[in-house]
Amino acid sequence: MRRRLIKERVAKTKKKQDVTPYQGDEINIEEALEIFVRAKEAEGVRPRTIHAYHNHIGYLIDYFTEIKGVQKPFLDDLTSDLIREYITYQLTEKRRYEGEKGRKDKTVGLSPNTVNIRLRTLRTMCRFWYTEGLAAVNAMENVKLVRTDEQPEVPGLSDKQVQTVINSMDEKHYAEWRDKILILLLIDTGMRINEAVSLTLSDINFKDNMIVLSSERTKNRRYRDVPVSLDVIKLLLELNKESQEYFGSTEQIFLNAYGEPFNSDSFRKRLNRLKSELGMERLSPHMFRHTFARDYLLNGGDLFTLQKILDHADIKTTRKYIQMSKDHLRSQHKNYTPARKYLKRKPKM
């Protein structure tokens, strides 16, 4: 009787008459995920996002099997109470990077931001399963995201740090020379790392000193032109020429030691090793983007042009990107404080 009432309630809430009948006790979560993924693929969602969907639900299924002892969880098993228990587990018991090779950090408890990323994915899926008639209720409807303190954006690097990183590269080694040129490209253009590593000769407008990024390659699916310095273009051409001598004809700028396209994950790992060697606390590709944004403004660039270069839909995002160090703040204050003109004036007698 209870099942029939739930079916009737779900049916009454549907605006369409041809929705799939409720089957939460018949469809397991893995099957429900595949239905969701097929719908998103039809909408043109990118493969990287699809990969994230699988990962995020994989963590939930692991919780069902390893913690709750449910080997094949169904949609009916996904309730608001269980999701809240899952949130608490991630925040207090889950070990970071558990099961990942090469990761030494086994801190207990994931960050609220990491948990919220997974919850946003689950919220989208639960809404889809409910509206499609696959689930009797939207299990995430009344579940709130984890409250977080405001976190500073990823900081940029100081001039000294950038110089230290660049000087550590031995240009006699192909991989280190390639990394050095990639870093200079990131600092010169503020490009995202995935945009930079996929760069080809055809993307460079030599006449106008611009890099042309098609909408298929950008995060926000918007075509844009990115200004690039002539000196950096020369380095890119030099790298490509040497790559062709090693590996044969190729349009790709950044290659690995086997002549295959270099990727962002490999670059992150190389920076992580370099960070340890140099005794730095943090070093990531995104920090070069932040360094570009900060220095662009300090050198006299305007915020609206920077927004366009960085491909931000909202200028608030661009503002958040600008993290000034204490040294920068002191320097700017020293140069531009309005009090100076009054302090220099002598009072009239």
Side-chain angles (χ1 to χ4, degrees):
M1 177 63 70
R2 175 178 173 275
R3 181 71 63 206
R4 188 175 65 190
L5 288 173
I6 290 176
K7 287 182 181 180
E8 290 173 356
R9 193 180 302 122
V10 172
K12 288 178 182 178
T13 61
K14 305 305 176 187
K15 294 182 180 179
K16 297 182 180 179
Q17 298 300 317
D18 58 347
V19 292
T20 308
Y22 164 71
Q23 8 182 357
D25 57 346
E26 301 171 5
I27 296 180
N28 63 52
I29 292 179
E30 287 184 345
E31 293 169 337
L33 170 63
E34 290 309 314
I35 295 172
F36 173 81
V37 164
R38 285 198 297 271
K40 291 301 172 183
E41 286 175 335
E43 294 173 9
V45 171
R46 287 178 173 167
R48 211 167 99 191
T49 305
I50 298 297
H51 181 68
Y53 290 152
H54 283 280
N55 282 344
H56 292 173
I57 293 303
Y59 302 134
L60 176 63
I61 293 174
D62 288 344
Y63 174 74
F64 266 112
T65 56
E66 296 171 12
I67 306 302
K68 305 301 287 185
V70 180
Q71 296 305 311
K72 193 176 181 181
F74 286 78
L75 279 183
D76 260 7
D77 297 316
L78 190 59
T79 64
S80 297
D81 285 341
L82 181 130
I83 293 172
R84 292 187 180 101
E85 291 173 9
Y86 173 56
I87 293 171
T88 302
Y89 164 75
Q90 291 183 98
L91 292 171
T92 61
E93 298 180 46
K94 176 68 177 174
R95 289 186 178 274
R96 297 183 190 180
Y97 309 119
E98 193 171 24
E100 295 187 27
K101 293 182 179 179
R103 292 285 196 171
K104 296 180 181 180
D105 182 1
K106 301 298 180 185
T107 306
V108 175
L110 305 183
S111 73
N113 286 331
T114 299
V115 175
N116 282 340
I117 288 170
R118 298 177 183 181
L119 289 178
R120 288 188 183 97
T121 299
L122 186 58
R123 175 176 287 172
T124 303
M125 290 184 179
C126 285
R127 188 187 304 119
F128 171 85
W129 292 329
Y130 174 65
T131 17
E132 291 292 312
L134 303 177
V137 295
N138 178 353
M140 275 293 295
E141 186 174 7
N142 296 316
V143 177
K144 296 182 179 179
L145 298 180
V146 181
R147 290 186 178 183
T148 60
D149 295 328
E150 184 176 349
Q151 298 292 324
E153 292 295 313
V154 176
L157 298 163
S158 68
D159 293 347
K160 184 178 179 180
Q161 287 175 318
V162 172
Q163 201 63 60
T164 299
V165 170
I166 290 176
N167 289 345
S168 71
M169 306 286 182
D170 186 349
E171 295 189 10
K172 294 178 182 177
H173 297 286
Y174 173 84
E176 293 187 38
W177 184 49
R178 175 207 60 213
D179 291 352
K180 179 177 179 178
I181 294 175
L182 179 53
I183 288 171
L184 289 170
L185 174 66
L186 294 173
I187 291 177
D188 185 50
T189 63
M191 293 170 67
R192 298 181 178 93
I193 183 57
N194 287 321
E195 296 168 344
V197 293
S198 62
L199 191 67
T200 67
L201 287 177
S202 301
D203 297 324
I204 304 174
N205 179 339
F206 296 99
K207 180 181 177 181
D208 299 324
N209 291 349
M210 303 285 275
I211 290 174
V212 181
L213 295 176
S214 64
S215 58
E216 291 82 6
R217 291 171 50 198
T218 60
K219 181 180 179 180
N220 293 326
R221 295 177 181 263
R222 287 192 296 266
Y223 161 95
R224 81 181 192 277
D225 293 320
V226 180
V228 58
S229 302
L230 180 58
D231 288 338
V232 172
I233 288 180
K234 289 178 179 177
L235 288 173
L236 295 174
L237 290 175
E238 191 177 343
L239 176 61
N240 179 257
K241 181 180 179 182
E242 186 153 332
S243 296
Q244 294 201 44
E245 291 175 2
Y246 280 126
F247 309 115
S249 179
T250 177
E251 279 263 309
Q252 205 77 28
I253 302 292
F254 298 102
L255 301 173
N256 64 19
Y258 302 99
E260 301 164 340
F262 192 49
N263 61 59
S264 56
D265 286 340
S266 296
F267 186 52
R268 287 189 184 92
K269 290 176 182 176
R270 290 181 62 81
L271 288 181
N272 197 47
R273 287 196 296 269
L274 183 61
K275 174 193 71 175
S276 300
E277 293 171 7
L278 298 177
M280 297 176 66
E281 185 178 344
R282 303 176 70 175
L283 185 61
S284 69
H286 215 54
M287 293 177 77
F288 297 115
R289 180 167 160 89
H290 281 257
T291 302
F292 163 80
R294 181 199 67 211
D295 288 359
Y296 181 88
L297 290 183
L298 288 175
N299 291 334
D302 70 274
L303 189 63
F304 294 100
T305 304
L306 178 61
Q307 177 191 4
K308 187 171 180 61
I309 293 173
L310 293 178
D311 190 30
H312 288 157
D314 191 336
I315 201 164
K316 291 180 182 177
T317 308
T318 313
R319 286 197 184 100
K320 287 172 63 179
Y321 249 62
I322 313 307
Q323 293 295 313
M324 303 293 180
S325 68
K326 291 180 182 178
D327 290 339
H328 283 114
L329 289 173
R330 279 196 296 264
S331 173
Q332 291 295 295
H333 179 267
K334 181 180 178 181
N335 291 332
Y336 300 111
T337 173
R340 182 180 291 109
K341 61 184 178 183
Y342 301 107
L343 292 170
K344 287 182 178 180
R345 293 176 182 172
K346 293 182 179 180
K348 293 181 180 180
M349 300 301 291

